[in-house]
């Protein structure tokens, strides 16, 4: 990796692959910005059965996230399927374990976006996005959404929200990502990467004129 390259952490949980598809599109948008790369990571599932364990390496998709990924990233995209209008337990479990990073200010001042998928069209997409924003605000992150300069927000008949990218996956998870959803996810990743790059610019020396 080039030491001058900025890393954006695209962190998601995906049970059946729908949220993973969004994550990959957001990563595509991130990497459309010169000098910025995406680091795709996931979190292990949690279980009510204490003996249940996940493999050290996921069977498919991105590697599991490590706390070092938070320290090394210049920005964060956080994604989850909805669970009754909230983020999935696996993502909440991971975030609950970041108290040391909260105390250290590891994520403070870094830009962040959120994304989600649902089985039904009105399945709590925006509530889930808002639920993911709350811990990011506590971490001091600069949370961003999508502006209505993207016409897809007005025209979409599937997913898409000013709070973040979304995908209507269908009850069986068999609905493909629509063109509107795709464009909005890529735009969200690009917007995040551009913000991270601007925040890394050195402060300009202020002129010492009359006050």
């Amino acid at each position: 990796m080039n030491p001058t390259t900025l890393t954006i952490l695209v962190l998601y949980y995906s049970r059946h692959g729908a949220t993973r598809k969004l994550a990959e599109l957001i990563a595509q948008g991130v990497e459309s910005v010169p000098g910025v790369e995406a680091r795709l990571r996931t979190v292990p599932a949690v279980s009510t059965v204490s003996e249940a364990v996940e493999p050290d390496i996921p069977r498919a998709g991105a590697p599991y996230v490590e706390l070092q990924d938070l320290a090394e990233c210049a920005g964060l995209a956080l994604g989850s399927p909805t669970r009754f209008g909230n983020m999935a337990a696996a993502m909440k479990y991971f975030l609950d374990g970041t108290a040391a990073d909260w105390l250290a200010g590891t994520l403070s001042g870094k830009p962040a976006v959120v994304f989600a998928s649902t089985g039904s069209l009105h399945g709590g997409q925006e509530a889930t996005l808002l639920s993911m924003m709350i811990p990011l605000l506590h971490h001091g992150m600069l949370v961003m959404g999508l502006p209505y300069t993207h016409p897809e927000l007005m025209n979409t008949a599937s997913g898409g929200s000013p709070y973040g990218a979304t995908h209507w996956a269908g009850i069986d998870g068999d609905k493909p990502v629509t063109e509107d959803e795709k464009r909005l996810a890529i735009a969200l990743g690009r917007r995040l990467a551009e913000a991270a790059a601007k925040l890394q610019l050195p402060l300009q020396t202020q002129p010492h004129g009359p006050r």
Side-chain angles (χ1 to χ4, degrees):
M1 183 184 75
N2 188 323
T4 62
T5 299
L6 297 180
T7 298
I8 300 296
L9 178 59
V10 183
L11 177 59
Y12 68 93
Y13 175 70
S14 188
R15 185 64 181 251
H16 301 294
T19 311
R20 175 182 167 186
K21 292 175 187 175
L22 275 186
E24 291 168 348
L25 289 166
I26 288 170
Q28 181 180 330
V30 165
E31 297 195 337
S32 71
V33 177
V36 186
E37 69 172 14
R39 181 181 298 179
L40 281 161
R41 293 291 185 268
T42 189
V43 296
V46 295
S47 174
T48 56
V49 182
S50 60
E51 293 84 2
V53 295
E54 289 291 302
D56 292 336
I57 300 173
R59 296 180 181 88
Y64 290 134
V65 67
E66 298 178 356
L67 293 179
Q68 186 65 23
D69 293 316
L70 300 180
E72 293 174 354
C73 76
L76 171 65
L78 190 69
S80 171
T82 70
R83 294 292 185 267
F84 302 105
N86 209 323
M87 74 182 89
M91 185 58 72
K92 180 67 164 57
Y93 183 82
F94 170 75
L95 291 172
D96 284 349
T98 60
D101 295 276
W102 169 68
L103 287 169
T106 302
L107 294 172
S108 182
K110 296 179 181 181
V113 299
V114 291
F115 58 101
S117 64
T118 54
S120 60
L121 179 57
H122 303 290
Q125 289 186 353
E126 293 185 345
T128 299
L129 296 176
L130 291 170
S131 78
M132 287 190 288
M133 289 180 185
I134 294 171
L136 302 185
L137 291 168
H138 277 261
H139 272 283
M141 301 199 80
L142 309 176
V143 180
M144 306 187 305
L146 279 166
Y148 274 91
T149 50
H150 297 285
E152 295 83 3
L153 285 178
M154 292 295 291
N155 300 326
T156 180
S158 50
S161 163
Y163 306 125
T166 61
H167 169 47
W168 174 26
I171 297 300
D172 297 320
D174 56 355
K175 285 186 176 294
V177 177
T178 67
E179 284 302 309
D180 284 341
E181 292 172 339
K182 179 179 180 179
R183 284 192 288 267
L184 288 170
I186 292 172
L188 187 65
R190 184 168 55 247
R191 181 172 169 83
L192 174 60
E194 289 172 345
K198 289 176 182 177
L199 287 168
Q200 293 294 321
L201 291 174
L203 293 174
Q204 300 296 318
T205 303
Q206 297 296 318
H208 298 287
R211 299 189 182 274

